Amino acid sequence: MIQDFLFQAFAASAILGAVIMVTRRNPVSAVIFLVGVFFATSGMFLMLDAHYIAAINVILYGGAIMVLFLFVLMLLNLGHADWRDLRGPVGGLIGGSISIAFLGVLTRLFVGGTDARPVVEIAGSALREAAAEQGVVGVVARPLFTEYTIVLEVTGVLLLVSIVGTILLARRERT
Amino acid sequence: MSNWVALLPEVILSLAAMFILMRDAFVRPVQAGAGGAAGGGRDDRRMSVDCLVTLYSIAGALIASLWLMDASAAPDAMIALDGFRVAADVILLGGALLVVSLSRDYLDREGLRSPEFHALILLALVGMMVLVAARDLILLFVGLELMSISVYVLTGFVRKNPRSSEASLKYFIVGAFASAFVVYGIALLYGATGTTRLATAAEVIAAAPAGGDLLLVAGIGLLLIGFAFKIAAVPFHMWAPDAYDGAPTPVTSFMATGVKAAAFIALLRVLTVDLGGAAQVWKGAVWWLAILTMIVPNLVALSQQDVKRMLAYSSVAHAGYLLVGVVAASELGRSASLFYLAAYTVVTAGSFAVVFHVAGRGDRNQRVRDYRGLGWRRPVLGAALLIFLLSLAGFPPTAGFVGKLYLLRAAVDAGETSLAVTLVLTSLVAYYYYLRVVWKMYFEAAPEDAHTPPSPKAGFSLVIGTCVALILLGGLFPGRIIDRARDALADAPAPGMVVQAEDPPSP
């Protein structure tokens, strides 16, 4: 019960944080709210008994990647709050109405869903059993190296392409 | 270990890409100021080796794909192993073979000697092949990203040219936006069906009561929007003309053939085969996409003065014709789309190559009026471009005509008469801008100071000739190809995805 309540609270703060993040003018404060979103998401993972994912999420996203983001923003001195929004009010209107429509879809799913069992119970019980058997890391690692090996390999190639591409576009021109 | 054989084509391409990248790291770079001629010679040699490695590895992957034709995989495997995948691989690899062999001259001319060009083309191909073969939504997404990121970089490849950088940035931002739609759609589909396996999802959807689930509708909608961005269907096409126009022309050709074909084939399979049970959800939306994508770009293309940009709009319009096959959602619709796609790939690779050859160094001469009298000054090039334009327009002795006819029959059989009518009417509109180039080529005299493009090298002419031959063969003997497709279809294993395309365009 308390788990379910906490899950909903984390979920609500994640959505709220995300909304605040995309409406900020100042990139630095947007990044700070993004960190908040990551922490709230980790909290959701924790309530679903996905401890390993929660920890990795905090360490990698909340920690390492966001620090890089902040560094880059501050180095490039991009934090000007007085920049005008490029899109006019029409863009905002369209974007806003689509967001509200999706919020409506999600609300309907949670409130009037056909499946009355709370999300926490479904995901949590399956994960708890698997974790008791294989350990918290094993739950993630085993499928990653058995069922989803191909995905892992292709992701490796994807990272290679990203590195090669970044260097190609950013390096000094050869003379 | 035998399971890995199913990935043999992808492995061959990846190893070749690694080889090219590693070779660059270990071969001593040319010292600046150490004598331009000697350095240029070494660079040339390295380019040739890279180009050959690329061509051989693509040919190897093509052979490996054809060799996999008789194999079959478990229905819930992660990678498909059936006629549909082989047909898709043949289209993608054949298109890449044409693009790479034609782009050699362009790279030489513009002094683009980075080995990353070929490595990125190969890795993008891996992404495309994973995308079309994926039977799992996660793998589908990773393949899509691999393809997209490689092509973003290729678009911005000419760093000295600000338009290339602008195109790359635009393409990157819009593409990342589209990817977000796809991944959100995948998440919602997972929520609706409880699985990321497409085969299992199809069973779940077939078992569920028709059309009720809000989550399923939202998921399919988002997936469709994401893919519509990738294949540049109207109204999600705004980025395409700029990106196509700014990218170096061989890359434009690669985007218009490979990227579009891969995203389209993946969409075709996911929608008509796996989500076929939920057809009432997506059919109306795809119908509108098809109608708009046929009408809008054809009208905009009428006023284009730049041939490359005109071809960019024409390529957007062709996505609309292809979507007709998706709406038909039948066996015939699928094979019609694949046939059309194969013909379109050959024609597009050929026509962009002629355009960059005529344009000359720095792409200076690519306006329509630069084509005045070309048919008399360079008869072979002119004749090739004539055939390509006729095929794009859909005139009888070409594969483009047969493809359109085939699509029309699929649309009429499926009862989509209004789509068929729109297809015919918009094709008529398109005659104007295709034939305008033909008119300039043959019926207007070139001014005295006109730039005459150099006569093409032997290799270039050979590949262009192959393209022309393939288009005419596809147009004159479509029955042969269709019969062969039927034969191959008879022993294709999985029901519901028994489609074969025409022969590989092998130079």
Side-chain angles (χ1 to χ4, degrees), chain A residues 149-166, chain B residues 4 7 9-18 21 118-130 139 141-151 153:
Chain A
T149 329
I150 299 177
V151 180
L152 185 73
E153 298 287 340
V154 180
T155 311
V157 180
L158 176 64
L159 290 177
L160 175 72
V161 166
S162 313
I163 294 168
V164 170
T166 314
Chain B
W4 288 96
L7 283 170
E10 284 86 350
V11 170
I12 292 175
L13 295 177
S14 309
L15 286 179
M18 312 284 168
L21 288 173
H118 289 109
L120 284 172
I121 290 252
L122 286 174
L123 292 174
L125 261 180
V126 174
M128 289 171 192
M129 288 166 67
V130 168
L139 189 59
F141 179 70
V142 176
L144 185 72
E145 280 303 278
L146 177 54
M147 166 183 95
S148 305
I149 291 181
S150 313
V151 180
V153 178

Side-chain angles (χ1 to χ4, degrees), chain A residues 109 147-148 158 161 169 171, chain B residues 78 116 146 159 197 215:
Chain A
L109 285 171
E147 198 184 351
Y148 291 96
L158 176 64
V161 166
L169 292 182
R171 76 169 169 212
Chain B
M78 201 149 225
E116 287 89 350
L146 177 54
R159 288 172 47 213
R197 281 303 148 90
L215 209 52

Side-chain angles (χ1 to χ4, degrees), chain B residues 137 140 182-198 201 204-205 213 215-224 270-271 275 278:
Chain B
L137 286 168
L140 183 111
V182 172
V183 82
Y184 197 13
I186 288 174
L188 292 187
L189 272 181
Y190 177 70
T193 60
T195 177
T196 55
R197 281 303 148 90
L198 282 162
V204 173
I205 291 170
D213 199 348
L215 209 52
L216 186 69
V217 175
I220 293 177
L222 286 171
L223 203 64
L224 189 59
V270 169
L271 280 188
L275 300 176

